[in-house]
Amino acid sequence: MSRDSNYDHHISIFSPQGRLYQMEYAFKAAGTALTGVAVCGEDSVCVVTQKKVRDRLMDPSTVSHLFSLTPKVGVCVTGGRDADSKAFVQRARYESSKWTYDNGYSCPVSVLSQRMADLAQINTQSASMRPLACMALVVGVDDEKGPSLYKLDCAGHVLPYKAAATGPKEQEALNFLEKRADAMKTYSQDDAIRTAITCLGSVLGSDFRGSEIEVGTVKSKSGKFRMLTEEEIEDHLNAIADGPDA
C-alpha cells in the first residue's frame, strides 16, 4: 500500500507533501460532468451549458443545470453529483433571501458568490463535513459593477472573470475564449450568447439543436435573469451557421 494512501481518510489531514487528497478527489468528481461556458458583454452576461436527459422516460423540462437565485442573479451548476448541485442552489437561495430580508434590497452577485465560497471553504476544515462535488458559474448585473461573472469551486475559491468555463473541456474552452478576450467588452447580448455557444460547440466537436443546450442571460442594470426558449436558441444557432465564421 502506498504511504500516501494513509492521508486520504479524512479531509482535514495533510500529506507530507502538503496535499489534501480528499479535496483532489472532490475536484475530480466535480470535473467529470457537463461543460459550461459563460461570457460577459458590454451590458449583459450569459451562460451556456449542455442539456442531457439521462433517461428517455424522464420529462425533459425537469432537467436543468441553470437556476435563478434572485430575480437578477442566475447560476450554472455542473458536477458529478446532482444532489450536491441541488444543495448548492437551495443554500444560495436561502442566503440571498436572508440578505434581502436583513438589508432591504436584493443581494449583489459579488456578495452572494463570496458567501457561498466561504461556506464551501468551511466544509474543508472538518472531518465531519464533505465538500460539494460541483462547480458554479454565477452571473448577474451589479448596480455598481455592471455585468458580473464569478466562478466558484468546491474548495472555496471565488474570482471574477470576463469569461469562464467549467467541466471536462474547461481548458479547451479557456483557450478559445482567451483569443477573444479583448473584444468582449464591446459585445452585445447576442454577441456574447453566440460566442458562448460557438465556444461550447467548438470544444465538444459537435453541432447542437435547441433542445440540447441551455442558455441563461441577464441584460442591463434593470434586467432579469431568464432562460432562453428552444426557439430563441434555434435563432442563435441559425445566425451562427449563417455567420462569416461558419
Side-chain angles (χ1 to χ4, degrees):
M1 181 179 292
S2 171
R3 176 186 177 186
D4 287 345
S5 65
N6 296 321
Y7 297 95
D8 65 355
H9 297 167
H10 295 287
I11 197 171
S12 56
I13 300 177
F14 284 94
S15 74
Q17 291 76 32
R19 300 168 65 180
L20 284 173
Y21 286 101
Q22 289 285 353
M23 283 310 306
E24 294 181 17
Y25 301 157
F27 273 100
K28 185 174 182 179
T32 58
L34 306 179
T35 300
V37 178
V39 176
C40 279
E42 182 179 11
D43 64 347
S44 63
V45 57
C46 77
V47 60
V48 179
T49 188
Q50 300 167 263
K51 180 174 182 177
K52 289 187 177 180
V53 181
R54 297 181 178 180
D55 193 324
R56 293 178 62 184
L57 299 178
M58 292 178 63
D59 180 0
S61 64
T62 65
V63 179
S64 178
H65 289 85
L66 297 184
F67 304 92
S68 174
L69 301 182
T70 76
K72 294 186 178 182
V73 178
V75 65
C76 170
V77 186
T78 62
R81 300 291 182 270
D82 290 342
D84 286 8
S85 299
K86 179 182 177 182
F88 178 94
V89 171
Q90 287 182 326
R91 184 57 186 263
R93 287 173 173 170
Y94 166 80
E95 294 294 337
S96 62
S97 298
K98 186 176 186 300
W99 173 277
T100 302
Y101 180 83
D102 292 341
N103 297 279
Y105 63 96
S106 183
C107 184
V109 59
S110 57
V111 174
L112 181 57
S113 299
Q114 185 62 61
R115 175 58 178 165
M116 293 306 298
D118 291 343
L119 293 173
Q121 208 284 323
I122 290 174
N123 288 341
T124 71
Q125 298 178 10
S126 173
S128 63
M129 297 180 179
R130 178 178 70 79
L132 299 178
C134 61
M135 310 282 277
L137 297 172
V138 185
V139 298
V141 177
D142 192 273
D143 291 339
E144 297 178 354
K145 301 178 181 179
S148 300
L149 163 63
Y150 290 85
K151 180 179 177 180
L152 289 75
D153 63 29
C154 40
H157 297 107
V158 57
L159 289 169
Y161 286 84
K162 295 179 182 178
T166 63
K169 297 292 185 178
E170 176 181 348
Q171 190 56 55
E172 293 90 333
L174 293 178
N175 294 338
F176 181 97
L177 296 169
E178 285 174 358
K179 299 175 183 178
R180 295 158 175 78
D182 293 337
M184 289 178 183
K185 59 185 178 183
T186 63
Y187 276 2
S188 65
Q189 184 180 38
D190 288 344
D191 291 336
I193 292 173
R194 291 168 190 172
T195 297
I197 294 175
T198 303
C199 175
L200 188 62
S202 175
V203 300
L204 295 176
S206 62
D207 296 327
F208 300 116
R209 291 180 296 179
S211 60
E212 294 176 340
I213 59 174
E214 296 180 284
V215 181
T217 183
V218 190
K219 183 178 181 180
S220 76
K221 295 182 179 180
S222 59
K224 307 291 186 182
F225 176 80
R226 74 182 190 92
M227 293 177 59
L228 271 58
T229 64
E230 288 188 17
E231 291 75 15
E232 290 175 311
I233 296 175
E234 285 288 357
D235 290 340
H236 284 291
L237 293 173
N238 292 333
I240 293 171
D242 297 336
D245 297 330

